Every structure is written in structure tokens, then in C-alpha cells.
């Protein structure tokens, strides 16, 4: 039997708070989402002024990073490189801004952000993850 880490409600709250702080410090209106390792939504925060569509895109980016076990940016680059078959995969969002949460070498979830430039979305996600004390 294998033991694995899992995100707690306190972890999700810490990630959302840290990501929110980073976004608001920069004046960015975004939606931030946190999912578990299976891509299931654990928390979502749509900041004031964030477009409604961001509440759909952010969890999709997080789900993509969690189940793919890598940043969603990698899939965007693959598609931009001509591998269009990835576009047929259902329920995932192949845009930068989804970042996996890794503890002791295991993906335990992911953060997805939508609302500003893709690199800024990823920056916010990483700021949220930095709030965790990962093994």
C-alpha cells in the first residue's frame, strides 16, 4: 500500500489567499481555482471585476495541470507546434495558467488562473502554491 499526500481545506484556503494577494497587488482581476489530483474542484475565487468566462477557464486549466501532471503551458506549446490532435481531448483547457502542486514528487492537485496574460495567470498560480509548505 502506498501513502500519498492530499490537499486539506486549510491548504486550499492558503493557496487562494496567497494567489488573491498577488493578483490584487498587481491590480489583476482574475479567477483562481484549486483542484485535487483527479482534477476535482476544491476551491474557486472570482475576484471583483473578473469576467464571467474566467470562472469556466480557470478550473479547466487547473484540471489540465492536475491530470496531465505538468503545467498546462506544455500542452499549449505542443498544439502551437502542430500537434492539433490534443484539441480533441474533452474537458481540458490547453492554455498557460494551470500549475500542478507537487509534494514529495507526487502531484496532489493544481491551481488554475484566468483573467490576465497567460504568463501572469501562471505567476499568480505559482504565488498561491508558494504559500504551502511542501515536502
Amino acid at each position: 500500500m502506498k501513502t500519498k499526500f492530499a490537499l486539506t481545506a486549510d491548504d486550499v484556503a492558503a493557496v487562494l489567499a496567497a494567489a488573491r494577494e498577488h493578483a490584487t497587488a498587481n491590480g489583476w482581476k482574475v479567477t483562481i481555482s484549486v483542484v485535487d489530483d483527479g482534477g476535482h474542484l476544491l476551491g474557486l475565487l472570482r475576484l471583483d471585476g473578473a469576467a464571467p468566462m474566467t470562472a469556466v477557464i480557470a478550473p479547466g486549466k487547473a484540471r489540465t495541470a492536475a491530470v496531465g501532471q505538468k503545467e498546462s503551458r506544455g500542452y499549449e506549446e505542443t498544439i502551437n507546434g502542430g500537434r492539433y490532435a490534443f484539441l480533441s481531448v474533452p474537458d481540458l483547457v490547453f492554455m498557460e495558467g494551470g500549475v500542478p502542486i507537487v509534494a514529495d514528487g507526487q502531484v496532489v492537485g493544481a491551481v488554475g488562473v484566468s483573467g490576465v496574460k497567460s504568463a501572469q495567470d501562471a505567476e499568480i498560480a505559482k504565488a498561491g502554491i508558494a504559500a504551502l509548505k511542501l515536502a
Side-chain angles (χ1 to χ4, degrees):
M1 197 60 72
K2 197 174 187 185
T3 301
K4 75 176 196 177
F5 291 96
L7 295 171
T8 65
D10 288 342
D11 293 334
V12 173
V15 169
L16 290 173
R20 177 184 187 167
E21 182 178 329
H22 188 79
T24 56
N26 288 286
W28 295 334
K29 300 170 184 173
V30 298
T31 295
I32 305 154
S33 63
V34 180
V35 301
D36 66 13
D37 60 340
H40 306 284
L41 189 62
L42 298 175
L44 183 133
L45 178 61
R46 183 174 151 210
L47 300 183
D48 294 342
M53 178 65 91
T54 63
V56 175
I57 296 171
K61 289 180 177 184
R63 185 171 42 258
T64 301
V67 300
Q69 299 190 346
K70 67 179 187 178
E71 288 194 40
S72 58
R73 176 185 68 177
Y75 295 104
E76 181 178 11
E77 291 168 351
T78 297
I79 292 164
N80 288 341
R83 187 89 191 272
Y84 305 118
F86 271 107
L87 294 171
S88 65
V89 178
D91 300 325
L92 300 178
V93 176
F94 303 115
M95 297 164 51
E96 184 175 7
V99 180
I101 301 170
V102 181
D104 195 31
Q106 301 174 48
V107 173
V108 297
V111 179
V113 179
S114 178
V116 287
K117 293 180 181 179
S118 294
Q120 294 166 332
D121 288 342
E123 179 183 324
I124 296 165
K126 290 173 183 176
I129 293 168
L132 297 176
K133 306 289 187 246
L134 298 173

